[in-house]
Amino acid sequence: MMMAASASNFYQDFDITWGDGRGKIVNNGEVLTLSLDKASGSGFQSKNEYLFGKIDMQLKLVPGNSAGTVTAYYLSSKGSTWDEIDFEFLGNLSGDPYILHTNVFSQGKGNREQQFYLWFDPTADFHTYSILWNPQRIIFTVDGTPIREFKNMESKGVSFPKNQPMRIYSSLWNADDWATRGGLVKTDWTQAPFTASYRNFNANACVWSNGVSSCKSNAPSSSNKAWLSMEMDSTSQQRLQWVQKNYMIYNYCSDGNRYPQGLPPECQMSQ
C-alpha cells in the first residue's frame, strides 16, 4: 500500500469519539451524521494519522435556524505545541448566511483567521470541502475553488506544519457564547436536534504509522502523488482572488487595529 486512497467507508476510516449515540454511521458506512441537543454535541476522528495529503469531505450543514452552533472539520496533532488546519462553520439565523472560519496553527500558535461567506446555501445539499497540505503550502478549497492559501515561509521565521502527523476531526457543538454575532444570538433549543451530515471522504495522503510515512517508499513516483508538489496555476489564482474579493469578510492580515506594532511577517507576503 503506497497511498491511503479510500473509497469512502466511515466504519473503516473513522471512530465516533463522543456524543453518547448522537453520532451515527448509516447507509452501510456511506454517510455519517452528527447531532447536537441541549445535553450534548458529538464528534468523530480518523483512525489514521496523516503527514501531508489532500483530504476531501462532503458536508451538508445544519439547516434552518443554526444560530449558536459550530460545525468544525479540521486536521490536528496532539500536545501543547500542536499543529492544526481548520474549517469551522458558524451557524446563523434562518436566511442569514453561514460564516466559514479558517485558521492555521503551527507549534501551538494560531490567530491566523480568515472568514468567508459562501456563494451557495451549504444546508441545501452536500458540498466538498478540501485541504491540500504539502511541504510548501496549505490550500483550502470549496467545491474545487481555492479560498485560501497559506505558504511555507519558514525562511521568514514563520513556523509551518510539517513535522507532526495529524488526525482528521469533526464535531458539532454549542458555542452560543461567541459563534453568532459575537454571542448576541443564542441557540434556540426548540429547534433541536441539530444535524450535520458527511459523505464521500477521500484521503490521497501519506499515512503515518509507527513513526514511518507510507510515502517513504522506493516505488516510482506516480501521478496520484501530484498533490505533494502541487501549487496553484493561473486559473486557480484568479478563482482565489474572486473569492477573496467577493466573499472574504475577515482577514487577520488586514486587521491593523489588532497589530498596532505591525502585521505578522507572513502578512507582508500577502497570505
Side-chain angles (χ1 to χ4, degrees):
M1 273 288 288
M2 261 291 292
M3 307 297 295
S6 59
S8 180
N9 184 310
F10 283 102
Y11 288 117
Q12 161 189 311
D13 295 318
F14 292 93
D15 294 313
I16 293 173
T17 45
W18 63 283
D20 197 23
R22 290 172 180 82
K24 295 186 174 68
I25 298 173
V26 296
N27 292 15
N28 299 315
E30 290 181 7
V31 173
L32 189 153
T33 61
L34 293 181
S35 289
L36 162 69
D37 58 35
K38 197 163 189 177
S40 178
S42 49
F44 64 87
Q45 71 181 43
S46 62
K47 294 181 190 288
N48 286 324
E49 292 183 290
Y50 305 94
L51 187 63
F52 305 125
K54 184 173 184 295
I55 309 291
D56 306 304
M57 184 83 82
Q58 291 195 326
L59 277 75
K60 184 178 180 184
L61 299 178
V62 173
N65 181 0
S66 57
T69 71
V70 172
T71 307
Y73 156 57
Y74 59 103
L75 289 162
S76 183
S77 64
K78 294 287 194 190
S80 59
T81 56
W82 77 100
D83 294 340
E84 187 173 324
I85 305 169
D86 279 346
F87 280 108
E88 289 188 286
F89 302 90
L90 312 185
N92 216 329
L93 295 167
S94 300
D96 287 346
Y98 263 81
I99 292 173
L100 171 51
H101 175 100
T102 67
N103 207 344
V104 176
F105 289 75
S106 49
Q107 299 181 14
K109 181 188 179 301
N111 300 324
R112 300 186 177 111
E113 303 92 346
Q114 291 184 356
Q115 295 183 335
F116 306 85
Y117 288 142
L118 293 163
W119 49 96
F120 53 83
D121 176 357
T123 72
D125 205 348
F126 286 90
H127 292 269
T128 304
Y129 302 91
S130 306
I131 294 167
L132 170 77
W133 170 37
N134 67 29
Q136 297 83 39
R137 69 199 73 247
I138 295 161
I139 302 173
F140 297 76
T141 64
V142 176
D143 289 340
T145 294
I147 64 167
R148 177 174 188 176
E149 180 179 35
F150 185 84
K151 292 178 182 169
N152 183 334
M153 286 176 289
E154 290 175 304
S155 62
K156 306 280 179 194
V158 179
S159 59
F160 184 83
K162 66 170 194 181
N163 298 316
Q164 300 186 60
M166 300 200 253
R167 289 188 199 276
I168 302 162
Y169 296 88
S170 190
S171 55
L172 173 57
W173 47 291
N174 176 45
D176 67 3
D177 54 334
W178 63 271
T180 306
R181 294 187 59 209
L184 291 175
V185 182
K186 300 301 184 185
T187 304
D188 178 359
W189 294 111
T190 67
Q191 305 295 311
F194 303 98
T195 301
S197 303
Y198 302 74
R199 72 179 188 193
N200 289 351
F201 164 71
N202 189 66
N204 197 357
C206 303
V207 173
W208 188 264
S209 182
N210 300 317
V212 178
S213 167
S214 62
C215 294
K216 296 276 190 243
S217 164
N218 295 324
S221 183
S222 58
S223 60
N224 66 353
K225 273 179 28 188
W227 56 266
L228 252 177
S229 57
M230 187 180 289
E231 52 188 277
M232 287 199 290
D233 60 18
S234 58
T235 304
S236 295
Q237 294 277 7
Q238 287 169 352
R239 292 168 85 190
L240 176 71
Q241 288 165 5
W242 172 78
V243 171
Q244 297 199 338
K245 178 172 177 248
N246 294 290
Y247 295 98
M248 180 185 275
I249 57 170
Y250 179 79
N251 181 5
Y252 76 109
C253 282
S254 304
D255 193 346
N257 292 333
R258 183 173 171 183
Y259 299 104
Q261 307 301 314
L263 294 171
E266 68 265 24
C267 294
Q268 288 140 44
M269 306 287 291
S270 75
Q271 277 299 322

